[in-house]
Amino acid sequence: FNTAGSRIGEIERAIVKLGIDGLRSVLSAAVMQPIIQRESPYFSQTGQRLWQHSLACAVACEVIGRRRNLDRFKVYLMGLVHDIGKITLFSELCKQFKLNGDNDIPGYNAFAPVMQKFSANLSYLIARDWELPDEICLGIKEQAGICADTNKAVSQHALLLCHANLACEVYAITPPDQRDKITFILEDLDLPLDLFQTLDNVSTEI
């Protein structure tokens, strides 16, 4: 938002700089961060990784959505909350394992099968319960099935979320000095070619 990099010390100037959509995005992120960034007693920095992915996906959705003429704030919010089911399940499983005592230290296999099976649908149910816009709820619901059936007709929001999520996952697992080798993914999905540079800025700022 502050491309000139100048210091802004007054709330009035900040609001003008952000604009209505920008202000909504910043406030949404501020509200969601403590919900998403929950640390686990079993896996270090899991909450931070989930938060980084959610914020990166939100930014990617916004960048891609701008090119596809979709509502900027709606797609940003969709990316921000798309994994809320995974986060909720992870948090609840941690609580249940903690009740079993400190001697019970679950491994990856104690979490992964449940989260893989139920998290996508739970994200949709939470989005509906929060009364988020219909486009967001439908996008979250449909994008989970895109990989299983690539010929299935889905909404623009679901396709955007699928592309943004995939780009962010590939970005996260690729070393920074190797990212020039994965730009073909952006070309294949018809995504902005500077998307990874934008995600670099997000990673630096958080």
Side-chain angles (χ1 to χ4, degrees):
F1 292 101
N2 186 19
T3 53
S6 59
R7 180 174 174 79
I8 298 175
E10 300 83 31
I11 188 65
E12 293 83 2
R13 281 191 64 204
I15 291 173
V16 170
K17 194 79 172 179
L18 288 168
I20 296 299
D21 282 338
L23 188 60
R24 289 195 296 179
S25 296
V26 170
L27 290 174
S28 297
V31 169
M32 288 300 299
Q33 184 171 5
I35 297 174
I36 296 173
Q37 195 173 345
R38 297 175 181 174
E39 285 305 331
S40 159
Y42 307 111
F43 301 99
S44 63
Q45 297 191 339
T46 298
Q48 177 64 13
R49 292 194 187 98
L50 287 169
W51 168 243
Q52 285 177 326
H53 174 72
S54 296
L55 186 58
C57 194
V59 171
C61 282
E62 184 177 6
V63 171
I64 300 166
R66 189 181 301 127
R67 170 184 273 196
R68 300 182 185 180
N69 296 317
L70 296 175
D71 184 278
R72 168 182 170 180
F73 176 66
K74 284 183 180 178
V75 296
Y76 177 93
L77 186 58
M78 180 175 65
L80 196 63
V81 305
H82 80 285
D83 266 348
I84 193 64
K86 182 183 296 182
I87 294 154
T88 302
L89 276 173
F90 180 75
S91 178
E92 291 304 311
L93 286 170
C94 285
K95 289 179 185 177
Q96 292 302 314
F97 285 125
K98 195 67 176 174
L99 291 176
N100 293 335
D102 294 334
N103 294 327
D104 187 4
I105 302 177
Y108 172 81
N109 289 333
F111 290 86
V114 175
M115 292 171 67
Q116 288 173 356
K117 184 174 182 179
F118 297 109
S119 63
N121 191 53
L122 183 57
S123 291
Y124 165 71
L125 293 175
I126 292 172
R128 295 295 300 177
D129 188 60
W130 286 354
E131 298 183 355
L132 296 182
D134 290 340
E135 300 96 320
I136 293 177
C137 297
L138 183 61
I140 292 173
K141 180 180 181 180
E142 290 183 335
Q143 74 93 23
I146 291 176
C147 292
D149 184 0
T150 55
N151 294 319
K152 185 178 179 180
V154 295
S155 66
Q156 286 183 291
H157 287 74
L159 194 60
L160 180 148
L161 180 56
C162 178
H163 289 169
N165 194 42
L166 178 60
C168 289
E169 288 178 349
V170 172
Y171 169 87
I173 64 173
T174 304
D177 60 348
Q178 300 291 316
R179 288 188 183 133
D180 60 327
K181 298 179 180 178
I182 58 171
T183 54
F184 71 91
I185 292 173
L186 302 179
E187 296 173 358
D188 289 348
L189 297 177
D190 192 27
L191 305 182
L193 297 181
D194 62 348
L195 181 59
F196 291 151
Q197 285 84 356
T198 302
L199 295 179
D200 284 339
N201 294 333
V202 174
S203 298
T204 300
E205 290 166 8
I206 63 174

